[in-house]
């Protein structure tokens, strides 16, 4: 359906966790809102990433909305870390409960957004040919939205099934009796491999860089645990806000440097065994200096290396699975269910795609640079995303005086607090580059951003002005602060997608604020309570 030009207070781009809460919050504040969503369903990340084994890596009791006590009491998670279909059901349940669908336009991929300075409004067009107008534009486009294109030749030559984990067919893929290649061993590949291995005739995992992974300790939800959380939800959510990543994960209060090697070892082992919130990012909070002190980080890295050696029976495979050239936390720490154990199966082979990179696909499989060929029925690409900036740069965004976002970010993704862009008035980002985003509980961080944006729009309206634009200086200072904060840790020493290292030609800047979620909240609250003094209102 082609839409005639229509005027809204706010256009929200994206109908994932962020866009849906933005719609609810802004609509409740009395604004007319339209959500534009590229997919033919809501759910964002959880709509697209349907690959086998997909689940969250922050416990579901926490990886969920906190804004409604009714919702958090009503919904029951079946597992500690819910699988993707359950998270998607939850999102759909919330949308129905809050009657959100009537303001969501599906199959509406935003092609461009242009600020019309004269009329103080955004003109938003979709690839489907609609034009919509709005006073404000909120980009709820997700941090991991745009899949990378593989640097592998002849993708179209392969006559078997070729699938991207982030564009997984809704009807699923049948691996039974199939020879399968899985390319990529990040969080996605690590989740998918054990599940595919259970049904495939044979699975070849092509690994370029090994990652550090910990057992999730996923299990059916214990009714007592669920009850305990529900009885204490309000207090626990509040306590989570005081942490470094908006998550209660049993964070240690001591410095690892002050602990003896035996004490450190005991702590690491306890968390490895416990799983749940002590796993994954939670493991990085075992000691206060895990990402700051080289000797503590070395010990933690070595602990995982020894776990790999103890788990994987074939020493050559174990060695290949062991990260050696970077420390734990430098790249996204992974959580898994039987990942390392999977390589003890007789139907699983690990291939070193660093030593012998994949060159091209053939009609019947793939070929490495050395000329080695492998026959496959199915090839799965789990090769990652153009993170943090990809979705925003995919749209043609033009601010004041013809300023293009691509130009604005030529030398790095400058934002103010990950929320606003200088020269792009009345536009807000949710979990934008420069905010704690992917190194925090995303859902909680989304709620904070949406609440902040709603208050900011209220401020503009109350002031009788119609344009708000953050100053260039505030934006530049924040960008420097984000990078300085990261430089004070060991994290940027590794090539990671946090730095844009996985995308050829992408400017290398650390895109996540590492000062801690609690401190970050203080900063954004102060920016608001101080009367938005870094912004110009007109
Ligand atoms: P990723 O971490 O970027 O991993 C992509 C993998 O593909 C890497 O191992 C990469 O190797 C490999 N690769 C890329 N091109 C290749 C090629 N031509 N040949 C061989 N290997 C190639 O992407 P991801 O696994 O999708 O995860 C991205 C982020 O999404 C995660 O860090 C996490 O934040 C989020 N995520 C979370 C969960 C969860 O647990 N809830 C699950 C999935 C994803 P190199 O490392 O050598 O480049």
């Amino acid at each position: 359906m082609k839409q005639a030009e229509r005027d809204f207070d706010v256009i929200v781009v994206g109908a994932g966790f962020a866009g849906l809460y933005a719609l609810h919050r802004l609509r409740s504040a009395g604004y007319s809102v339209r959500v534009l969503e590229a997919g033919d369903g809501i759910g964002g990340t959880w709509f697209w990433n349907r690959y086998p084994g997909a689940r969250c890596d922050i416990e579901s009791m926490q990886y969920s909305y906190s804004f409604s006590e009714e919702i958090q009491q009503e919904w029951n998670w079946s597992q500690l870390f819910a699988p993707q279909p359950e998270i998607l059901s939850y999102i759909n349940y919330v949308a129905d409960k809050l009657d959100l669908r009537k303001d969501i336009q599906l199959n509406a991929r935003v092609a461009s957004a242009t600020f019309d300075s004269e009329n103080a409004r955004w003109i938003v067009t979709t690839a489907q040919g609609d034009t919509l107008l709005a006073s404000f534009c909120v980009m709820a486009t997700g941090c991991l939205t745009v899949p990378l294109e593989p640097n592998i030749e002849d993708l179209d030559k392969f006559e078997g099934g070729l699938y991207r984990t982030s564009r997984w067919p809704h009807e699923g893929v049948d691996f039974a009796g199939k020879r399968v290649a899985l390319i990529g061993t990040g969080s996605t590949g690590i989740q998918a491999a054990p599940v595919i291995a259970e049904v495939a005739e044979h699975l070849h995992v092509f690994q370029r860089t090994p990652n550090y992974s910990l057992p999730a300790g996923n299990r059916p939800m214990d009714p007592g645990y669920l009850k305990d959380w529900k009885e204490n939800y309000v207090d626990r959510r509040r306590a989570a806000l005081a942490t470094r990543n908006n998550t209660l994960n049993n964070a240690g209060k001591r410095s690892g440097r002050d602990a003896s090697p035996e004490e450190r070892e005991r702590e690491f082992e306890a968390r490895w065994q416990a799983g749940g919130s002590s796993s994954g990012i939670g493991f990085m909070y075992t000691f206060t200096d895990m990402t700051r002190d080289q000797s503590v980080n070395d010990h933690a890295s070595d602990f995982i290396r020894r776990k790999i050696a103890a788990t994987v029976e074939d020493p050559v495979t174990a060695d290949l699975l062991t990260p050696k050239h970077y420390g734990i936390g430098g790249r996204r720490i992974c959580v898994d269910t039987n990942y390392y154990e999977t390589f003890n199966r007789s139907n699983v082979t690990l291939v070193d795609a660093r030593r012998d990179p994949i060159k091209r696909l053939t009609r019947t499989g793939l070929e490495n640079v050395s000329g080695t060929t492998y026959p496959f029925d199915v090839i799965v690409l789990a090769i990652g995303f153009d993170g943090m900036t990809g979705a925003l740069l995919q749209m043609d965004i033009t601010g004041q005086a013809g300023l293009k976002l691509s130009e604005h970010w030529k030398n790095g993704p400058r934002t103010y607090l990950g929320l606003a862009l200088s020269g792009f008035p009345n536009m807000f980002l949710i979990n934008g580059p420069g905010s704690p985003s992917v190194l925090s509980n995303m859902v909680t961080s989304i709620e904070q951003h949406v609440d902040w944006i709603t208050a900011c729009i209220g401020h503009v309206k109350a002031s009788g002005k119609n344009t708000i634009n953050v100053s260039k200086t505030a934006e530049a200072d924040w960008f420097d602060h984000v990078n300085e904060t990261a430089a004070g840790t060991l994290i940027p020493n590794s090539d990671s997608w946090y730095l844009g290292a996985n995308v050829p030609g992408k400017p290398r800047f650390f895109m996540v604020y590492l000062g801690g979620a609690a401190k970050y909240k203080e900063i954004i609250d102060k920016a608001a309570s101080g009367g938005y003094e870094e912004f110009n209102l007109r």
Side-chain angles (χ1 to χ4, degrees):
M1 181 194 73
K2 293 278 173 285
Q3 181 108 21
E5 290 205 349
R6 287 201 43 200
D7 226 332
F8 297 92
D9 289 320
V10 190
I11 285 176
V12 175
V13 184
F17 267 110
L20 295 179
Y21 180 53
L23 168 58
H24 170 64
R25 188 77 175 77
L26 289 160
R27 210 174 59 179
S28 306
Y31 303 120
S32 61
V33 185
R34 170 59 57 95
V35 177
L36 301 175
E37 164 56 52
D40 62 4
I42 62 168
T45 286
W46 300 104
F47 173 83
W48 296 105
N49 290 270
R50 296 163 185 256
Y51 60 86
R55 61 180 72 250
C56 52
D57 61 358
I58 287 186
E59 283 190 25
S60 291
M61 295 310 297
Q62 304 195 57
Y63 189 81
S64 45
Y65 290 123
S66 69
F67 69 87
S68 160
E69 176 64 358
E70 194 183 334
I71 287 174
Q72 57 187 15
Q73 290 300 332
E74 215 168 87
W75 184 264
N76 291 313
W77 295 106
S78 73
Q79 300 179 27
L80 206 54
F81 296 98
Q84 172 271 333
E86 191 169 326
I87 301 174
L88 190 57
S89 298
Y90 167 79
I91 292 172
N92 277 281
Y93 144 81
V94 172
D96 289 332
K97 187 167 178 70
L98 302 176
D99 195 18
L100 299 179
R101 293 183 202 276
K102 63 183 183 204
D103 293 312
I104 302 171
Q105 194 172 325
L106 298 175
N107 299 306
R109 177 174 291 282
V110 170
S112 72
T114 308
F115 190 65
D116 167 6
S117 296
E118 205 170 310
N119 297 298
R121 63 185 185 181
W122 281 94
I123 304 168
V124 177
T125 69
T126 70
Q128 287 74 12
D130 297 334
T131 302
L132 299 93
L133 310 173
S135 307
F136 297 90
C137 192
V138 175
M139 293 299 183
T141 42
C143 297
L144 294 154
T145 306
V146 176
L148 278 192
E149 275 307 309
N151 60 345
I152 299 171
E153 296 164 26
D154 298 336
L155 285 186
D156 55 339
K157 294 257 163 62
F158 181 55
E159 290 178 0
L162 176 64
Y163 303 100
R164 287 172 167 76
T165 46
S166 52
R167 294 292 177 269
W168 205 251
H170 288 206
E171 63 281 10
V173 176
D174 182 10
F175 293 105
K178 303 267 169 63
R179 298 162 303 171
V180 182
L182 172 65
I183 302 173
T185 53
S187 304
T188 301
I190 281 175
Q191 285 185 329
V195 185
I196 298 174
E198 273 179 19
V199 276
E201 180 192 300
H202 200 98
L203 171 67
H204 281 77
V205 178
F206 288 80
Q207 172 194 275
R208 206 163 57 182
T209 310
N211 274 300
Y212 292 93
S213 188
L214 280 103
N218 188 34
R219 45 196 177 260
M221 183 63 74
D222 172 56
Y225 188 75
L226 183 79
K227 183 165 172 284
D228 181 47
W229 262 91
K230 289 200 175 188
E231 284 173 1
N232 295 287
Y233 238 141
V234 174
D235 290 344
R236 297 227 172 127
R237 296 285 199 183
R238 193 178 302 123
L241 293 182
T243 67
R244 289 185 63 80
N245 67 337
N246 284 334
T247 315
L248 291 180
N249 49 22
N250 188 23
K253 303 226 172 355
R254 303 176 68 186
S255 125
R257 188 167 259 281
D258 294 344
S260 69
E262 294 74 24
E263 286 171 318
R264 292 205 293 248
E265 190 73 10
R266 258 200 312 278
E267 277 298 320
F268 295 146
E269 182 65 33
R271 280 156 200 268
W272 176 275
Q273 296 299 339
S277 294
S278 300
S279 185
I281 292 186
F283 186 79
M284 295 311 295
Y285 292 102
T286 308
F287 296 104
T288 53
D289 46 3
M290 291 277 285
T291 55
R292 288 172 191 278
D293 186 294
Q294 190 66 57
S295 64
V296 177
N297 188 273
D298 286 347
H299 188 166
S301 307
D302 189 54
F303 173 83
I304 306 290
R305 292 181 190 125
R306 282 183 277 120
K307 285 293 183 191
I308 298 169
T311 309
V312 180
E313 288 157 11
D314 172 41
V316 177
T317 306
D319 186 59
L320 192 53
L321 283 166
T322 304
K324 300 189 185 94
H325 305 299
Y326 69 97
I328 191 164
R331 296 152 58 93
R332 175 74 172 201
I333 191 166
C334 302
V335 292
D336 69 86
T337 302
N338 297 329
Y339 178 63
Y340 295 121
E341 290 83 349
T342 294
F343 294 92
N344 294 334
R345 298 177 66 108
S346 57
N347 71 332
V348 176
T349 306
L350 183 66
V351 183
D352 186 350
R354 168 79 59 193
R355 192 179 51 77
D356 190 3
I358 300 164
K359 181 170 169 49
R360 64 186 189 100
L361 300 196
T362 64
R363 200 173 56 74
T364 55
L366 67 76
E367 185 182 324
N368 283 355
V369 165
S370 67
T372 312
T373 56
Y374 298 83
F376 292 117
D377 303 305
V378 176
I379 296 177
V380 176
L381 299 174
I383 59 169
F385 301 86
D386 181 357
M388 306 304 294
T389 56
L392 292 157
L393 289 171
Q394 205 175 50
M395 296 174 283
D396 180 12
I397 299 180
T398 312
Q400 274 174 333
L403 177 65
K404 296 278 182 195
L405 183 61
S406 51
E407 182 63 23
H408 189 62
W409 278 359
K410 194 173 60 186
N411 298 314
R414 283 162 173 72
T415 70
Y416 178 58
L417 308 175
L419 272 163
L421 298 156
S422 181
F424 298 80
N426 295 12
M427 175 174 279
F428 299 99
L429 311 178
I430 299 178
N431 277 340
S435 70
S437 64
V438 293
L439 285 170
S440 69
N441 180 342
M442 290 283 279
V443 186
T444 309
S445 292
I446 282 167
E447 291 180 330
Q448 283 174 4
H449 271 187
V450 169
D451 293 347
W452 192 95
I453 291 164
T454 308
C456 183
I457 291 176
H459 173 75
V460 179
K461 295 268 181 191
S463 68
K465 308 279 168 69
N466 59 18
T467 310
I468 186 163
N469 186 19
V470 70
S471 78
K472 236 182 164 37
T473 317
E475 187 187 64
D477 289 350
W478 181 253
F479 183 71
D480 291 345
H481 177 61
V482 169
N483 281 280
E484 279 156 18
T485 306
T489 74
L490 304 167
I491 298 178
N493 299 350
S494 313
D495 282 345
S496 70
W497 64 259
Y498 302 143
L499 274 167
N502 63 334
V503 181
K506 188 163 174 168
R508 277 208 187 198
F509 291 95
F510 204 78
M511 296 185 280
V512 185
Y513 178 59
L514 289 181
K519 181 167 170 218
Y520 175 79
K521 180 157 172 20
E522 269 175 35
I523 295 169
I524 63 169
D525 285 351
K526 199 162 152 229
S529 63
Y532 305 90
E533 59 187 10
E534 303 293 3
F535 291 83
N536 303 312
L537 274 98
R538 284 175 184 225

